[in-house]
Amino acid sequence: MRAVDDAGMQTTDRLTAALGALAATLAIVWSIATLAAGGMAPDQQRQVLDNLLTSQSVMLATNHIMLIVALICCAAAFFIWLAPKPTRAVDMTQAGH
């Protein structure tokens, strides 16, 4: 159970890091002014920005996980390619059910 908790904690840490990176690059003042011009209340503005940043940070974390999975698949394919070929042929008359 501890391994699952550690993996979940790492994912949460990555999401938090991605969220912080996105928040740093987002022009918050411009975004809030734009939302205020649209007639949103301050609480709604913050919620919209929080939802936007959270969804984008999840997307960045997902991209990172998919990159790791792709690298693992490429490594597995490489090692399968290096595996020795079978030395004996299969007798197809004995291959039935």
Side-chain angles (χ1 to χ4, degrees), residues 5 22 25 30 36 40 52 58-59 62 68 70 78 97:
D5 293 339
L22 284 171
T25 59
W30 177 81
M40 285 191 173
L52 175 68
V58 168
M59 183 54 63
T62 302
I68 292 170
F78 178 72
H97 288 277

Side-chain angles (χ1 to χ4, degrees), residues 33-91:
T34 304
L35 294 173
M40 285 191 173
D43 288 339
Q44 289 175 323
Q45 296 166 13
R46 282 189 290 275
Q47 189 63 43
V48 166
L49 290 176
D50 182 54
N51 290 344
L52 175 68
L53 290 174
T54 301
S55 66
Q56 291 302 308
S57 64
V58 168
M59 183 54 63
L60 288 174
T62 302
N63 287 344
H64 187 257
I65 290 171
M66 288 299 133
L67 175 65
I68 292 170
V69 169
L71 292 175
I72 290 171
C73 287
C74 288
F78 178 72
F79 288 120
I80 289 170
W81 181 58
L82 290 178
K85 300 214 183 310
T87 55
R88 63 180 179 93
V90 176
D91 182 15

Side-chain angles (χ1 to χ4, degrees), residues 4-25:
V4 173
D5 293 339
D6 289 343
M9 192 60 136
Q10 289 175 352
T11 303
T12 303
D13 292 343
R14 286 190 185 136
L15 286 174
T16 303
L19 181 62
L22 284 171
T25 59

